[in-house]
Structure formats: structure tokens, C-alpha cells
Amino acid sequence: MKKYWLAAAGVVAAVAIAAPSAVGAPTETSTTSEASTSSAISTATRPEVRTEPAKVTPAKAAVPAPNPVVTVRPGQRVDAGGGFTVWLTRDGKHWTGPDGYENFRSVVDGNIDRSQPGVSHQSEGDATGAFHSGLYYGTRKAGRVELSDAEGHKTVATLIALPGRPDWGVWYAHTGPDGNGGSSLGVTLYDREGKLLAELPGFDFPAGRG
């Protein structure tokens, strides 16, 4: 009987020694599991930081300035307002007024020097206003023709030319009445960059003349 009790006691001791290890194992596993769960929760609740590429705005192509010269066909009648009509042919400028008479200014008769920029001026008017027109020539880069009076008031003219970028064209404009039929107004020609190319000063007739 003593041998059995000793054997039983040995079995109980073995169970007692093995028990802490068996019982402790789940505890360590649980701790590890909780840590993993805590880490997962922390990761899930941590705000996500996203880096987006910088937005690049493509550069817009420069828009070319509108051509200040209106291209017209040879012989095409242009209504210049106030009963005046203007048209161009290869040999020069043509126009009619309310009176119906046709006028002509040549660009090929040698009276103008097309080797350098220049401008001419014809005008006619009455108590209601004056019509001005003329040639510009010696340049393929005409940008603006202005009329100016003695007080500095300026009027910008309309420019027309034939196709093919010729070195001459026609300008026309309307102003208020002028005692000298518009001849007292100066005419200035500029290129498309605003550079002065040519000017034609106005003049006044002495009192009692004109």
C-alpha cells in the first residue's frame, strides 16, 4: 500500500508541477492577443495620411493680337459711313461721297515714295462733320493711324488693305466739323508695336482764306 501511495503522490506532484505551465500558457497567449488587438485598433483609428501629387496648371499659349488691318478684295466696296464708299484696286485708292462723284489716289504713279513709311490725307466735310481718308505706305506692319487736333483730341482710323500683305493700304475716319475741311488735323502712322512710323502735320489757312 505504501508503494501505491508514493506512486500516487508522485503523480499528484507531477500534475502540480505541470499545472502552472499549462495554466500560464493561455495567460501569455491572451496577453499577446490583446496586444495584437490593441495594435490593430490603433492602426485602424490612426488617420491615414495620403500624399497627392501637386497639380500642374498647363501654361496657356499666348493669344496673338487681332490684325488691325481689314483685308478686302480688289474692287470690294466698303461702306465707310456718312454716305461714303471706299474700295481698293492694285493701282490705288478709290472713293465716292454723298455727291456720287468718284475720286482716285494712285500708288503707282510715282507721287509717293513706297521705299519708306508715309501717310497721305484727303478730307471733305460740312457743318455736320468731316470725312477723312488717305493712304499709308512703305510698311507691312501698319498698326494704327490717328488723327489729332490742336487740343490733343485723337480719332483712330479704320485700316483696310488688299490680300497678300502689300506695303500699302487705306485708312478712313469721321470727325466733327472743321473750319478748314479737316486739313488742320495731323495724321500719324504707327506700327503694331506702337512705334511711330510717319506723321503728317495739320495746317490752318490764314483768316479770310480757305
PDB file of all heavy atoms in Angstrom, residues 86-103:
ATOM      1  N   VAL A  86     -15.575 103.335-100.005  1.00  0.00           N
ATOM      2  CA  VAL A  86     -14.154 103.223-100.330  1.00  0.00           C
ATOM      3  C   VAL A  86     -13.891 101.840-100.915  1.00  0.00           C
ATOM      4  O   VAL A  86     -14.464 100.850-100.467  1.00  0.00           O
ATOM      5  CB  VAL A  86     -13.282 103.434 -99.070  1.00  0.00           C
ATOM      6  CG1 VAL A  86     -11.800 103.307 -99.415  1.00  0.00           C
ATOM      7  CG2 VAL A  86     -13.567 104.779 -98.427  1.00  0.00           C
ATOM      8  N   TRP A  87     -13.011 101.765-101.912  1.00  0.00           N
ATOM      9  CA  TRP A  87     -12.562 100.466-102.405  1.00  0.00           C
ATOM     10  C   TRP A  87     -11.134 100.600-102.937  1.00  0.00           C
ATOM     11  O   TRP A  87     -10.638 101.685-103.198  1.00  0.00           O
ATOM     12  CB  TRP A  87     -13.509  99.906-103.457  1.00  0.00           C
ATOM     13  CG  TRP A  87     -13.587 100.647-104.757  1.00  0.00           C
ATOM     14  CD1 TRP A  87     -12.935 100.355-105.924  1.00  0.00           C
ATOM     15  CD2 TRP A  87     -14.404 101.792-105.050  1.00  0.00           C
ATOM     16  NE1 TRP A  87     -13.274 101.228-106.913  1.00  0.00           N
ATOM     17  CE2 TRP A  87     -14.178 102.125-106.401  1.00  0.00           C
ATOM     18  CE3 TRP A  87     -15.308 102.563-104.298  1.00  0.00           C
ATOM     19  CZ2 TRP A  87     -14.816 103.208-107.027  1.00  0.00           C
ATOM     20  CZ3 TRP A  87     -15.933 103.630-104.904  1.00  0.00           C
ATOM     21  CH2 TRP A  87     -15.695 103.953-106.258  1.00  0.00           C
ATOM     22  N   LEU A  88     -10.467  99.457-103.050  1.00  0.00           N
ATOM     23  CA  LEU A  88      -9.066  99.420-103.467  1.00  0.00           C
ATOM     24  C   LEU A  88      -8.920  98.598-104.732  1.00  0.00           C
ATOM     25  O   LEU A  88      -9.616  97.603-104.916  1.00  0.00           O
ATOM     26  CB  LEU A  88      -8.180  98.803-102.379  1.00  0.00           C
ATOM     27  CG  LEU A  88      -7.801  99.655-101.159  1.00  0.00           C
ATOM     28  CD1 LEU A  88      -9.018  99.986-100.323  1.00  0.00           C
ATOM     29  CD2 LEU A  88      -6.788  98.912-100.301  1.00  0.00           C
ATOM     30  N   THR A  89      -7.998  99.022-105.589  1.00  0.00           N
ATOM     31  CA  THR A  89      -7.555  98.218-106.714  1.00  0.00           C
ATOM     32  C   THR A  89      -6.030  98.152-106.646  1.00  0.00           C
ATOM     33  O   THR A  89      -5.414  98.796-105.786  1.00  0.00           O
ATOM     34  CB  THR A  89      -7.996  98.833-108.059  1.00  0.00           C
ATOM     35  OG1 THR A  89      -7.476 100.161-108.160  1.00  0.00           O
ATOM     36  CG2 THR A  89      -9.513  98.867-108.158  1.00  0.00           C
ATOM     37  N   ARG A  90      -5.434  97.393-107.521  1.00  0.00           N
ATOM     38  CA  ARG A  90      -3.976  97.230-107.463  1.00  0.00           C
ATOM     39  C   ARG A  90      -3.243  98.550-107.680  1.00  0.00           C
ATOM     40  O   ARG A  90      -2.091  98.689-107.267  1.00  0.00           O
ATOM     41  CB  ARG A  90      -3.519  96.220-108.516  1.00  0.00           C
ATOM     42  CG  ARG A  90      -4.125  94.824-108.346  1.00  0.00           C
ATOM     43  CD  ARG A  90      -3.695  94.184-107.042  1.00  0.00           C
ATOM     44  NE  ARG A  90      -4.267  92.845-106.883  1.00  0.00           N
ATOM     45  CZ  ARG A  90      -4.136  92.109-105.802  1.00  0.00           C
ATOM     46  NH1 ARG A  90      -3.458  92.588-104.767  1.00  0.00           N
ATOM     47  NH2 ARG A  90      -4.683  90.908-105.719  1.00  0.00           N
ATOM     48  N   ASP A  91      -3.907  99.503-108.297  1.00  0.00           N
ATOM     49  CA  ASP A  91      -3.219 100.765-108.588  1.00  0.00           C
ATOM     50  C   ASP A  91      -3.543 101.887-107.614  1.00  0.00           C
ATOM     51  O   ASP A  91      -3.003 102.985-107.731  1.00  0.00           O
ATOM     52  CB  ASP A  91      -3.518 101.231-110.022  1.00  0.00           C
ATOM     53  CG  ASP A  91      -5.013 101.354-110.296  1.00  0.00           C
ATOM     54  OD1 ASP A  91      -5.810 100.983-109.408  1.00  0.00           O
ATOM     55  OD2 ASP A  91      -5.385 101.803-111.401  1.00  0.00           O
ATOM     56  N   GLY A  92      -4.407 101.637-106.619  1.00  0.00           N
ATOM     57  CA  GLY A  92      -4.628 102.691-105.639  1.00  0.00           C
ATOM     58  C   GLY A  92      -5.983 102.698-104.967  1.00  0.00           C
ATOM     59  O   GLY A  92      -6.696 101.695-104.946  1.00  0.00           O
ATOM     60  N   LYS A  93      -6.291 103.842-104.415  1.00  0.00           N
ATOM     61  CA  LYS A  93      -7.487 104.059-103.578  1.00  0.00           C
ATOM     62  C   LYS A  93      -8.573 104.774-104.383  1.00  0.00           C
ATOM     63  O   LYS A  93      -8.303 105.746-105.096  1.00  0.00           O
ATOM     64  CB  LYS A  93      -7.090 104.913-102.374  1.00  0.00           C
ATOM     65  CG  LYS A  93      -8.230 105.560-101.618  1.00  0.00           C
ATOM     66  CD  LYS A  93      -7.716 106.727-100.773  1.00  0.00           C
ATOM     67  CE  LYS A  93      -8.863 107.543-100.212  1.00  0.00           C
ATOM     68  NZ  LYS A  93      -8.407 108.824 -99.650  1.00  0.00           N
ATOM     69  N   HIS A  94      -9.817 104.267-104.213  1.00  0.00           N
ATOM     70  CA  HIS A  94     -10.975 104.882-104.854  1.00  0.00           C
ATOM     71  C   HIS A  94     -12.005 105.194-103.777  1.00  0.00           C
ATOM     72  O   HIS A  94     -12.148 104.442-102.815  1.00  0.00           O
ATOM     73  CB  HIS A  94     -11.602 103.927-105.878  1.00  0.00           C
ATOM     74  CG  HIS A  94     -10.657 103.443-106.930  1.00  0.00           C
ATOM     75  ND1 HIS A  94     -10.666 103.915-108.232  1.00  0.00           N
ATOM     76  CD2 HIS A  94      -9.667 102.499-106.884  1.00  0.00           C
ATOM     77  CE1 HIS A  94      -9.730 103.294-108.937  1.00  0.00           C
ATOM     78  NE2 HIS A  94      -9.116 102.428-108.128  1.00  0.00           N
ATOM     79  N   TRP A  95     -12.746 106.272-103.968  1.00  0.00           N
ATOM     80  CA  TRP A  95     -13.833 106.562-103.033  1.00  0.00           C
ATOM     81  C   TRP A  95     -14.856 107.500-103.663  1.00  0.00           C
ATOM     82  O   TRP A  95     -14.560 108.243-104.589  1.00  0.00           O
ATOM     83  CB  TRP A  95     -13.309 107.149-101.723  1.00  0.00           C
ATOM     84  CG  TRP A  95     -12.859 108.590-101.731  1.00  0.00           C
ATOM     85  CD1 TRP A  95     -13.555 109.677-101.270  1.00  0.00           C
ATOM     86  CD2 TRP A  95     -11.609 109.103-102.203  1.00  0.00           C
ATOM     87  NE1 TRP A  95     -12.824 110.825-101.415  1.00  0.00           N
ATOM     88  CE2 TRP A  95     -11.611 110.496-101.969  1.00  0.00           C
ATOM     89  CE3 TRP A  95     -10.474 108.533-102.791  1.00  0.00           C
ATOM     90  CZ2 TRP A  95     -10.548 111.335-102.327  1.00  0.00           C
ATOM     91  CZ3 TRP A  95      -9.407 109.345-103.134  1.00  0.00           C
ATOM     92  CH2 TRP A  95      -9.451 110.719-102.904  1.00  0.00           C
ATOM     93  N   THR A  96     -16.080 107.403-103.143  1.00  0.00           N
ATOM     94  CA  THR A  96     -17.161 108.306-103.542  1.00  0.00           C
ATOM     95  C   THR A  96     -17.816 108.851-102.287  1.00  0.00           C
ATOM     96  O   THR A  96     -17.811 108.218-101.232  1.00  0.00           O
ATOM     97  CB  THR A  96     -18.232 107.598-104.389  1.00  0.00           C
ATOM     98  OG1 THR A  96     -18.789 106.523-103.616  1.00  0.00           O
ATOM     99  CG2 THR A  96     -17.651 107.037-105.676  1.00  0.00           C
ATOM    100  N   GLY A  97     -18.374 110.044-102.405  1.00  0.00           N
ATOM    101  CA  GLY A  97     -19.096 110.667-101.301  1.00  0.00           C
ATOM    102  C   GLY A  97     -20.571 110.744-101.600  1.00  0.00           C
ATOM    103  O   GLY A  97     -21.062 110.166-102.586  1.00  0.00           O
ATOM    104  N   PRO A  98     -21.320 111.467-100.767  1.00  0.00           N
ATOM    105  CA  PRO A  98     -22.770 111.597-100.980  1.00  0.00           C
ATOM    106  C   PRO A  98     -23.124 112.221-102.328  1.00  0.00           C
ATOM    107  O   PRO A  98     -24.227 111.991-102.854  1.00  0.00           O
ATOM    108  CB  PRO A  98     -23.204 112.506 -99.822  1.00  0.00           C
ATOM    109  CG  PRO A  98     -22.154 112.317 -98.776  1.00  0.00           C
ATOM    110  CD  PRO A  98     -20.892 112.097 -99.519  1.00  0.00           C
ATOM    111  N   ASP A  99     -22.178 112.984-102.882  1.00  0.00           N
ATOM    112  CA  ASP A  99     -22.447 113.603-104.182  1.00  0.00           C
ATOM    113  C   ASP A  99     -22.344 112.618-105.334  1.00  0.00           C
ATOM    114  O   ASP A  99     -22.746 112.909-106.471  1.00  0.00           O
ATOM    115  CB  ASP A  99     -21.503 114.780-104.429  1.00  0.00           C
ATOM    116  CG  ASP A  99     -20.029 114.400-104.310  1.00  0.00           C
ATOM    117  OD1 ASP A  99     -19.734 113.192-104.268  1.00  0.00           O
ATOM    118  OD2 ASP A  99     -19.180 115.305-104.264  1.00  0.00           O
ATOM    119  N   GLY A 100     -21.783 111.429-105.071  1.00  0.00           N
ATOM    120  CA  GLY A 100     -21.716 110.396-106.093  1.00  0.00           C
ATOM    121  C   GLY A 100     -20.510 110.469-106.992  1.00  0.00           C
ATOM    122  O   GLY A 100     -20.297 109.572-107.821  1.00  0.00           O
ATOM    123  N   TYR A 101     -19.682 111.526-106.873  1.00  0.00           N
ATOM    124  CA  TYR A 101     -18.512 111.640-107.736  1.00  0.00           C
ATOM    125  C   TYR A 101     -17.387 110.725-107.255  1.00  0.00           C
ATOM    126  O   TYR A 101     -17.108 110.648-106.059  1.00  0.00           O
ATOM    127  CB  TYR A 101     -18.006 113.093-107.779  1.00  0.00           C
ATOM    128  CG  TYR A 101     -18.937 114.036-108.502  1.00  0.00           C
ATOM    129  CD1 TYR A 101     -19.777 114.891-107.788  1.00  0.00           C
ATOM    130  CD2 TYR A 101     -18.983 114.041-109.905  1.00  0.00           C
ATOM    131  CE1 TYR A 101     -20.639 115.751-108.453  1.00  0.00           C
ATOM    132  CE2 TYR A 101     -19.858 114.900-110.564  1.00  0.00           C
ATOM    133  CZ  TYR A 101     -20.679 115.747-109.841  1.00  0.00           C
ATOM    134  OH  TYR A 101     -21.546 116.588-110.500  1.00  0.00           O
ATOM    135  N   GLU A 102     -16.750 110.055-108.223  1.00  0.00           N
ATOM    136  CA  GLU A 102     -15.669 109.129-107.864  1.00  0.00           C
ATOM    137  C   GLU A 102     -14.332 109.851-107.822  1.00  0.00           C
ATOM    138  O   GLU A 102     -14.024 110.675-108.688  1.00  0.00           O
ATOM    139  CB  GLU A 102     -15.599 107.971-108.861  1.00  0.00           C
ATOM    140  CG  GLU A 102     -14.529 106.941-108.526  1.00  0.00           C
ATOM    141  CD  GLU A 102     -14.535 105.749-109.466  1.00  0.00           C
ATOM    142  OE1 GLU A 102     -15.622 105.435-110.008  1.00  0.00           O
ATOM    143  OE2 GLU A 102     -13.461 105.152-109.673  1.00  0.00           O
ATOM    144  N   ASN A 103     -13.530 109.515-106.799  1.00  0.00           N
ATOM    145  CA  ASN A 103     -12.198 110.082-106.642  1.00  0.00           C
ATOM    146  C   ASN A 103     -11.176 108.946-106.657  1.00  0.00           C
ATOM    147  O   ASN A 103     -11.488 107.793-106.340  1.00  0.00           O
ATOM    148  CB  ASN A 103     -12.091 110.837-105.318  1.00  0.00           C
ATOM    149  CG  ASN A 103     -13.090 111.967-105.222  1.00  0.00           C
ATOM    150  OD1 ASN A 103     -12.886 113.049-105.762  1.00  0.00           O
ATOM    151  ND2 ASN A 103     -14.207 111.723-104.530  1.00  0.00           N
TER     152      ASN A 103
END
